[in-house]
Amino acid sequence: MIRRGRFARWNEKEYEISSRNKQIYLSTTDSSELQNGFTQMGGPTASLLRAVDVNELDDAYEIVPYAILDGHRFAIEGIDPQTSMVKLVTNNAFTLKKLKVHPYGSDEYMIELPLHSITVEEDRIPILGFENRFV
């Protein structure tokens, strides 16, 4: 599974988060969370949301996935769910000498590989004031 986006830890669990009008919302599809103050939004397959104050969170961070190929870092641009092919992108021109990359946008290079053939890593960047907290 490739994770990307904003996440928070609350009550010893990890949730995706969103915000609207300076309000933070935890998001889940786990119906057992209804007992923890989550509210179903939309239809039966919709997400469950719970408003929280940033002070209630144990941690908050943005996850940015990437992969390393032959010593070069590639951003994970996307995955085709039908074929499980992952689009990897870099702006490192030296990859042309080692890998079969193709021009992609302005000064970028792209390669598509099966998900099973790469190792997905994650950068975890603190957000919402957690940048200044010490573990």
Side-chain angles (χ1 to χ4, degrees):
M1 179 174 101
I2 298 176
R3 303 183 313 154
R4 174 192 310 271
R6 297 179 346 147
F7 294 82
R9 293 206 51 85
W10 177 78
N11 284 353
E12 300 180 13
K13 288 186 178 179
E14 184 181 70
Y15 299 89
E16 284 193 65
I17 61 171
S18 61
S19 59
R20 183 172 179 175
N21 298 329
K22 298 183 181 181
Q23 177 63 61
I24 305 294
Y25 294 93
L26 304 174
S27 176
T28 185
T29 56
D30 182 357
S31 60
S32 71
E33 293 287 8
L34 288 169
Q35 66 187 5
N36 292 324
F38 282 76
T39 305
Q40 190 153 1
M41 305 305 267
T45 59
S47 292
L48 304 173
L49 298 178
R50 184 185 196 283
V52 292
D53 186 82
V54 72
N55 296 328
E56 296 177 69
L57 300 176
D58 300 321
D59 196 5
Y61 41 89
E62 182 161 356
I63 291 179
V64 180
Y66 67 93
I68 303 291
L69 299 176
D70 281 346
H72 298 285
R73 182 181 171 123
F74 284 77
I76 296 177
E77 187 77 12
I79 182 169
D80 183 327
Q82 293 178 338
T83 64
S84 293
M85 294 294 283
V86 180
K87 183 183 291 185
L88 304 171
V89 177
T90 187
N91 61 358
N92 186 341
F94 292 107
T95 59
L96 288 166
K97 295 179 182 179
K98 289 186 176 181
L99 300 165
K100 293 183 181 182
V101 294
H102 306 284
Y104 181 76
S106 176
D107 299 324
E108 291 184 319
Y109 306 94
M110 184 265 302
I111 188 170
E112 288 186 288
L113 297 169
L115 177 59
H116 67 82
S117 71
I118 65 169
T119 300
V120 176
E121 302 288 337
E122 295 178 345
D123 278 337
R124 187 178 286 207
I125 304 162
I127 59 172
L128 301 176
F130 287 89
E131 304 91 327
N132 303 319
R133 297 189 187 185
F134 300 101
V135 177

